[in-house]
Amino acid sequence: MTSQNPIFIPGPTNIPEELRKAVDMPTIDHRSPVFGRMLHPALEGVKKVLKTDQAQVFLFPSTGTGGWETALTNTLSPGDKVLAARNGMFSHRWIDMCQRHRLDVTHIEVPWGEGIPAARFEEILTADKGHEIRVVLATHNETATGVKSDIAAIRRALDAARHPALLFVDGVSSIGSMDFRMDEWGVDIAVTGSQKGFMLPPGLAIVAFSPKAMAAVETAKLPRTFFDIRDMATGYARNGYPYTPPVGLINGLNAACERILSEGLENVFARHHRIAGGIRAAVDAWGLKLCAARPDLYSDTVSAIRVPDGFDANRIVSHALETYDMAFGTGLGEVAGKVFRIGHLGSLTDAMALSGLAVAEMVMVDLGLPVRLGSGVAAAQEHYRQSTVSALRKAA
Ligand SMILES: Cc1ncc(COP(=O)(O)O)c(C=O)c1O
């Protein structure tokens, strides 16, 4: 890939120039106070993005997957009971990780394209009179299917069942792009990575623990060393790490939080919603359907688009790359070959989104799909034009 085309995989996302520069810095002494002056504002910035006053944030040299492991191993013991729903590749992998750690997972099978069934969770939690379930897992945004689940509804399910289980939320493809309210939703651990909403290269697991999750650390018996948050907390208190920190990424995270907060969190969410609306208008104009079953499930960060039966969706992804030097996401797991994905998160504008739609159209026409050149682009243009004009009118 040599091009300057934007990227349309659902993470890693496009890296704005200012963040690339923040990551690319000369070596500093990570045991000097200079490092602390970078670390602490980054931790504070993440708290603001998560909308939490109470949680403690930890940054591991890892990715979202390491964030899952941090959550589990710091709070649970072998045999502990976990409740989860499997509605896509990422919820599947988190469940698999629990099983490999010898946790006892009750998981609800959900059709891919549906969200987490909060009502089923409530039934199961209500029936668990002995409060044996220790943790409820929820993937806020299933990146494989483009499905957003309602975390507030899961909190209500826990509360209605009067159940004390901890709530762990995977926000890898939502945090920093879609509304996430750690304190208000009573999230005990939030997990994300540097390479999606934060618009940085991969390399950081970003994990936040509520006071209740911090208390669980004291009794947890699963083995952990590298991901032990107690060592990390001791390091932070001394402006350092228990090992060598990824200094450039932490400097980048600080700059990323500044960028997100100066745009304004609500403006960032509104931009993602508007851009996603244009993508969805295009999909509709192409006569195609999203994998997400209903509008209330539509993700504002990724759209998984079903192709006609018998057509291999991977051909769209490979043709786009080979012919037009543009990257879209393939389908994963149960929907491999059935969907292709357009990632629309991070540093993205309406104009960038239109370029992706234009190329997707060319690809589909090249491959003989019954799509008319310009149809999706025109629908998205209309969406962007109208939403921009109405926002300008409101502001005037
Ligand atoms: C929702 C979700 N969870 C977890 C992960 C795993 O994160 P990573 O690839 O950073 O380990 C991803 C990656 O795309 C994801 O989209």
Side-chain angles (χ1 to χ4, degrees), residues 11 31 77 95 119 123 129 132 141 151 156 159 180 214 217 242 250 290 323 335 378 382-383:
R31 297 190 195 282
S77 302
I95 290 167
E123 281 167 20
K129 299 285 178 221
E132 288 186 5
N141 190 71
I151 304 301
R156 286 195 296 276
D159 291 348
F180 190 92
M214 290 302 292
V217 175
I250 291 169
L290 291 173
T323 314
V335 289
E382 199 53 52
H383 179 84

Side-chain angles (χ1 to χ4, degrees), residues 63-65 68 90 139 141 143 170 172-173 195-196:
T63 64
T65 306
W68 288 342
F90 295 99
T139 301
N141 190 71
T143 322
D170 171 340
V172 173
S173 60
Q195 78 275 21
K196 300 205 192 226

